[in-house]
Amino acid sequence: MGKSLLIVESPTKVETLKKIIGKDFVVKASVGHIKDLPKKKLGVDVENNFNPEYITIRGKGKILNALKTAAKKADNIYLAPDPDREGEAIAHHICNEVSKITKGKIYRVMFNEITKKAVTEAIKHPTELNANKVNAQQARRILDRLVGYKISPILWKKVQRGLSAGRVQSVALRMICDREEEIKNFKSEEYWTITIDLEGSKEPEFQAKLFKVDGKKAEIGNEEQAQAIVKAVEKGEFVLEDIVKKERKRNPSAPFITSTLQQEASRKLNFSPKKTMMLAQRLYEGIALGKEGTVGLISYMRTDSTRLSDEAVGDIRRFIEDKYGKEYVPKAPNVYKSKKTAQEAHEAIRPTNIMLEPKAIKEYLEKDLYNLYELIWARTLSCQMVPAVLDTTQFDVKTDKYLFRANGSVIKFDGFMKVYVEDTDDEGAGMKSTEKILPDIKKGEVLMMKKVLPEQHFTQPPPRFTEAMLVKALEEKGIGRPSTYAAIISTIKDRDYIRNEDKRVVPTELGHLVSGLLVDNFPDIMTEEFTAQMEDQLDQIEEGKIEWVDTLKSFYGPFEKDLVEAEAKMKDIKSQVEETDEVCEKCNSPMIIKWGRFGKFMACSGYPECKNTKEIGGDNGESGKKVSEKVDDTCDKCGAQLVMKMGRFGKFLACSEYPECKFTKPISLGIKCPEPDCKGNISPRRTKKGRTFYGCSEYPNCKFTSWDKPVDEACPKCNNAYMVTKWKKNEGESIVCPGCGFKKSSDEAA
């Protein structure tokens, strides 16, 4: 018998699979898709049932020829791209090409993990191509092509060339812009809390917060009301009116699916969704582990199912019993609910071998790969452990008509928390072994009031999205699917529609403009509801419940009408100019304000004869105010005076002799570098991906950096040279020491 041919997507898998399946197979990689719609035209015959015109992707000709050559010699051909819609489409296109030149049988095989058992089982039990999956992927591709290639030319005509609109990305951008408007329009309201320090017959002292007044929830709107309560309670007698003790259980989190992995990696490891998926792909495809060779460390990472195989659960339960003891293993395996749309044929993201502890293979993994593997390993292990048990105590302390409440808890049994605790979006959820322990005193005891602490607060606007929060919102609203979350965010970031600022996602001026135009002119499709409904229809195509052509027809009719109206009614930003009192220094023509890629700028009205341009000033883009104002500093290169300018990422300093001298530098925070013997100052900087960080002006001689904004204040606890600002939901901004963790409250910070 001749050899069989196994075709996968990624070349990284080839060596791993060769060692698993042996000499009877030739393993080749398609390196992703080999066919796609043409880039230079629509490639969809709208009049003929949306018939797509697929062509070989540029640069893939040699790969396709190599696959055909190998297919001619093979007795059997196994198509093994990834087990999702994209993988099915890749397998379909390869099948169409090789079926013309081979006499061998063509099979579809799918494995959820690259291990010897999973791969050999998949090859022993091959399946056929799933036409419904192929149609679902094709419908999504055509939908995205219709939206992108029909709307983008209108944006080119009305705003500027090079802009683009995406069916799902534009809705994600709208969510970000809507949140920014919500923050901008938010009206903060004052409120007060009153806390008392109390002492009983036994230690420790404890704090209680005003909970009710006259049996109703305490609401204190201003200082006058707060001070009236302070005066009333200062003279009162405090009695411990009630004690409520409960045993509370805290359950472990479900194993990772794509969205939760991206969220948790962002919170715990500071990874972008794109970076998380790139690293997860490498862990899935295989890592060289010394003498063991290349091993696939995790199961397939694009999934929305929380299911674990019976075999995996059995291995995990045995490992927990051996390492931690029987008391950490539940009587029956923990089972977690998946979303209705989840594909239960898939598994959750888990280690392929739970016995491979992260520390045992640390030497073979880069730092980021190790951290991500450790995160997946710990989450998977904890999901099959017993709940944590906490003893909670509630004290109700009363004086006159005022009821104060104190809550305390202590971990009675750590359970799953011995291994892993999930973070939240705005603060760590890790729990200390003790938390607000209350004294062992009896009901009815009279307590001594030591201090009354009235505190002023202001309601906070909803926070800007982090990338993790945005992924969570997309998933909750049914926008996109596991394979698309990272691509959605990276696409709108690459288009300069959003940027990262202090770990939060902020729309750019261009993003605001494009989003507003799309929402105004395509109100039917630029909504969360429509996008979610379309995702649901794609799922139904995959399930064989509806036809893909019918879905496209129902979409395209209303969309075509919107296109005609948008062509006529969309605001023509290109033609809009604002006159100014400025005169061009080169030709004396009036200067006008126009729109460019990085916002508004001033240009000579004599264009194209005169191409003089300059920045305009003010964050609100008011005409006539120059950003290029002189500052008290000189150029490090030529000694000329520096001026302040506005760029795509905000203000910066530049040499006034530009373009002869192109020296630039960021604007300093006015804080000296905390590194000893360094004479530099701290300035905000940006990574290549647009994320803000803070670094020393003496770089590369000094490499001090901080993700959090430094404050020119030494820590009163450990004398660290500086502190940093942090923001938390419902707390606002606080000042924290990066050395010892000492924190000032938001009021102290103010």
Side-chain angles (χ1 to χ4, degrees):
M1 290 180 64
K3 291 189 176 184
S4 295
L5 173 64
L6 180 70
I7 301 176
V8 294
E9 276 185 55
S10 170
T12 312
K13 296 179 187 175
V14 172
E15 292 304 315
T16 312
L17 289 166
K18 278 182 179 178
K19 292 173 183 175
I20 291 173
I21 56 181
K23 297 178 181 179
D24 293 335
F25 280 83
V26 173
V27 186
K28 295 284 184 182
S30 68
V31 195
H33 283 274
I34 58 165
K35 297 271 186 175
D36 198 5
L37 301 174
K39 282 190 174 182
K40 295 186 177 180
K41 59 179 179 177
L42 183 65
V44 178
D45 189 348
V46 177
E47 303 297 327
N48 187 22
N49 287 332
F50 302 93
N51 187 42
E53 178 193 337
Y54 290 112
I55 62 168
T56 302
I57 296 170
R58 187 174 182 181
K60 291 294 183 74
K62 288 183 179 179
I63 294 171
L64 183 55
N65 288 336
L67 295 179
K68 287 180 177 180
T69 301
K72 282 181 183 179
K73 302 174 184 176
D75 290 340
N76 296 305
I77 300 168
Y78 296 88
L79 304 175
D82 291 342
D84 55 18
R85 288 178 191 164
E86 295 297 321
E88 206 70 20
I90 292 169
H92 171 72
H93 290 143
I94 294 172
C95 180
N96 285 346
E97 292 294 324
V98 301
S99 61
K100 301 170 187 175
I101 49 90
T102 183
K103 294 178 182 178
K105 288 186 177 181
I106 301 177
Y107 301 101
R108 173 74 166 116
V109 294
M110 290 183 283
F111 29 83
N112 191 54
E113 58 187 61
I114 304 177
T115 59
K116 185 162 187 173
K117 183 172 182 180
V119 173
T120 51
E121 280 296 310
I123 292 172
K124 281 180 185 176
H125 304 96
T127 61
E128 295 180 351
L129 281 166
N130 186 324
N132 291 332
K133 259 190 179 182
V134 175
N135 289 336
Q137 188 278 341
Q138 183 165 264
R140 174 188 284 278
R141 186 72 188 95
I142 293 172
L143 274 170
D144 292 343
R145 174 54 65 99
L146 291 172
V147 172
Y149 275 49
K150 292 287 187 179
I151 296 180
S152 296
I154 301 176
L155 291 176
W156 295 3
K157 184 178 177 181
K158 303 287 186 176
V159 186
Q160 69 179 46
R161 192 168 183 83
L163 296 182
S164 58
R167 180 180 62 87
V168 181
Q169 297 93 326
S170 297
V171 176
L173 175 62
R174 179 182 181 176
M175 290 169 61
I176 296 165
C177 292
D178 286 351
R179 176 61 60 90
E180 197 69 17
E181 283 300 308
E182 201 177 342
I183 293 168
K184 183 180 175 182
N185 298 327
F186 182 83
K187 291 182 179 178
S188 186
E189 294 180 4
E190 179 184 8
Y191 71 97
W192 287 69
T193 59
I194 295 176
T195 307
I196 52 174
D197 286 352
L198 294 164
E199 183 180 51
S201 59
K202 296 181 181 178
E203 292 185 345
E205 290 183 10
F206 65 97
Q207 285 191 329
K209 188 171 283 189
L210 182 62
F211 183 61
K212 288 183 178 180
V213 179
D214 278 334
K216 296 179 181 179
K217 185 180 177 182
E219 293 181 353
I220 311 170
N222 54 52
E223 186 176 7
E224 186 180 350
Q225 293 173 5
Q227 290 302 331
I229 295 172
V230 169
K231 286 180 182 178
V233 300
E234 279 179 334
K235 301 172 184 176
E237 181 180 75
F238 293 86
V239 178
L240 181 53
E241 185 180 72
D242 196 14
I243 300 173
V244 180
K245 291 188 176 182
K246 289 181 181 178
E247 184 178 273
R248 182 169 65 88
K249 289 185 178 181
R250 183 173 177 183
N251 293 315
S253 300
F256 282 131
I257 58 176
T258 304
S259 61
T260 54
L261 175 63
Q262 291 174 5
Q263 292 167 51
E264 194 73 340
S266 175
R267 292 186 289 241
K268 284 185 180 290
L269 306 177
N270 213 16
F271 291 171
S272 68
K274 184 177 180 180
K275 179 176 180 177
T276 299
M277 295 310 289
M278 288 172 63
L279 294 171
Q281 183 87 31
R282 291 177 61 189
L283 291 172
Y284 165 67
E285 290 175 351
I287 302 293
L289 302 181
K291 293 180 181 178
E292 288 190 46
T294 304
V295 177
L297 293 178
I298 65 169
S299 59
Y300 191 55
M301 63 285 155
R302 293 186 182 91
T303 177
D304 51 7
S305 171
T306 56
R307 187 184 71 84
L308 293 174
S309 69
D310 292 341
E311 184 184 2
V313 169
D315 290 343
I316 294 166
R317 286 169 63 84
R318 283 189 290 274
F319 183 87
I320 294 168
E321 183 175 339
D322 292 344
K323 190 171 179 69
Y324 301 107
K326 286 184 179 180
E327 64 272 24
Y328 285 90
V329 184
K331 289 181 180 179
N334 295 332
V335 178
Y336 299 90
K337 285 185 178 180
S338 298
K339 289 168 59 181
K340 287 182 180 179
T341 56
Q343 298 195 22
E344 289 301 324
H346 290 177
E347 278 192 72
I349 304 168
R350 60 168 176 80
T352 55
N353 181 1
I354 200 70
M355 304 298 176
L356 275 180
E357 294 187 60
K359 288 180 181 178
I361 57 173
K362 187 173 183 178
E363 62 180 300
Y364 304 110
L365 300 175
E366 300 161 22
K367 182 182 176 183
D368 288 344
L369 279 172
Y370 172 79
N371 289 337
L372 188 63
Y373 178 69
E374 184 181 43
L375 190 71
I376 295 168
W377 184 87
R379 175 80 162 227
T380 307
L381 193 66
S382 71
C383 84
Q384 290 302 319
M385 295 175 77
V386 295
V389 180
L390 291 83
D391 277 339
T392 63
T393 305
Q394 176 187 295
F395 281 1
D396 281 354
V397 179
K398 197 165 186 184
T399 178
D400 191 21
K401 62 181 179 180
Y402 303 104
L403 178 70
F404 290 80
R405 179 164 288 177
N407 290 293
S409 63
V410 60
I411 297 176
K412 188 176 180 180
F413 178 68
D414 53 5
F416 78 94
M417 293 172 66
K418 193 173 190 73
V419 174
Y420 181 89
V421 181
E422 185 179 44
D423 271 6
T424 62
D425 285 314
D426 292 289
E427 57 184 315
M431 190 178 292
K432 298 175 183 177
S433 58
T434 59
E435 186 174 289
K436 290 186 181 178
I437 297 177
L438 299 177
D440 184 16
I441 53 179
K442 294 181 179 180
K443 182 179 175 180
E445 183 170 325
V446 177
L447 306 170
M448 182 182 294
M449 191 269 290
K450 307 285 286 184
K451 191 187 294 182
V452 185
L453 304 166
E455 285 186 278
Q456 182 188 37
H457 308 273
F458 293 92
T459 55
Q460 297 289 329
R464 286 170 170 166
F465 289 109
T466 61
E467 291 191 7
M469 290 164 65
L470 185 56
V471 168
K472 186 177 181 180
L474 292 171
E475 183 192 27
E476 287 175 347
K477 295 176 187 294
I479 298 169
R481 285 297 180 262
S483 60
T484 63
Y485 299 134
I488 289 168
I489 296 171
S490 63
T491 298
I492 54 178
K493 194 185 290 185
D494 292 344
R495 290 173 181 167
D496 289 319
Y497 292 163
I498 62 170
R499 67 173 185 269
N500 283 68
E501 193 172 283
D502 295 329
K503 300 181 183 179
R504 301 275 167 169
V505 179
V506 184
T508 62
E509 191 175 1
L510 179 61
H512 261 304
L513 175 67
V514 170
S515 181
L517 291 172
L518 293 177
V519 171
D520 290 344
N521 293 277
F522 298 93
D524 297 331
I525 66 170
M526 295 300 165
T527 66
E528 297 164 5
E529 295 76 16
F530 175 84
T531 310
Q533 288 170 11
M534 190 56 67
E535 293 291 352
D536 184 55
Q537 288 184 47
L538 292 171
D539 290 340
Q540 290 185 57
I541 294 170
E542 182 172 337
E543 293 163 12
K545 294 178 180 178
I546 58 176
E547 290 294 323
W548 70 275
V549 174
D550 293 340
T551 300
L552 292 176
K553 283 179 179 178
S554 65
F555 161 80
Y556 194 70
F559 177 60
E560 195 171 27
K561 291 178 183 177
D562 286 344
L563 284 170
V564 174
E565 289 188 14
E567 187 76 43
K569 295 181 180 179
M570 185 181 284
K571 191 184 294 183
D572 193 343
I573 305 297
K574 267 186 178 179
S575 64
Q576 289 183 347
V577 295
E578 298 176 42
E579 295 182 358
T580 73
D581 296 330
E582 294 278 331
V583 177
C584 176
E585 58 265 31
K586 292 187 178 180
C587 70
N588 292 323
S589 297
M591 297 292 284
I592 55 176
I593 293 174
K594 300 182 76 175
W595 179 269
R597 184 178 180 188
F598 304 125
K600 291 181 177 179
F601 69 99
M602 204 176 291
C604 179
S605 59
Y607 180 86
E609 286 76 20
C610 178
K611 297 180 180 178
N612 185 30
T613 62
K614 63 173 80 171
E615 296 94 344
I616 61 173
D619 292 336
N620 58 359
E622 293 175 2
S623 61
K625 293 182 183 178
K626 295 182 182 179
V627 169
S628 301
E629 55 190 82
K630 295 180 180 179
V631 296
D632 295 331
D633 202 354
T634 56
C635 175
D636 293 2
K637 284 190 175 181
C638 69
Q641 190 162 27
L642 291 178
V643 293
M644 191 181 294
K645 291 195 169 189
M646 178 68 78
R648 63 185 290 191
F649 296 128
K651 295 179 179 180
F652 66 98
L653 298 179
C655 181
S656 57
E657 294 301 311
Y658 179 86
E660 286 75 21
C661 178
K662 297 180 180 178
F663 174 78
T664 62
K665 71 176 182 180
I667 297 171
S668 170
L669 295 176
I671 301 173
K672 290 184 178 180
C673 178
E675 292 292 330
D677 302 322
C678 180
K679 296 179 181 179
N681 292 307
I682 303 303
S683 303
R685 312 287 290 269
R686 286 189 183 270
T687 65
K688 290 180 180 178
K689 295 182 179 179
R691 186 177 170 194
T692 301
F693 70 99
Y694 300 88
C696 180
S697 59
E698 293 298 306
Y699 179 85
N701 297 322
C702 176
K703 295 186 178 179
F704 169 83
T705 57
S706 170
W707 288 115
D708 299 305
K709 187 176 181 179
V711 176
D712 193 12
E713 180 180 345
C715 175
K717 190 173 182 181
C718 70
N719 294 320
N720 193 56
Y722 71 102
M723 297 177 76
V724 296
T725 56
K726 293 216 180 245
W727 193 94
K728 285 188 180 180
K729 187 177 180 181
N730 299 325
E731 291 186 19
E733 193 174 83
S734 59
I735 297 177
V736 180
C737 174
C740 68
F742 169 79
K743 182 174 79 170
K744 280 189 172 184
S745 69
S746 54
D747 295 331
E748 288 178 305

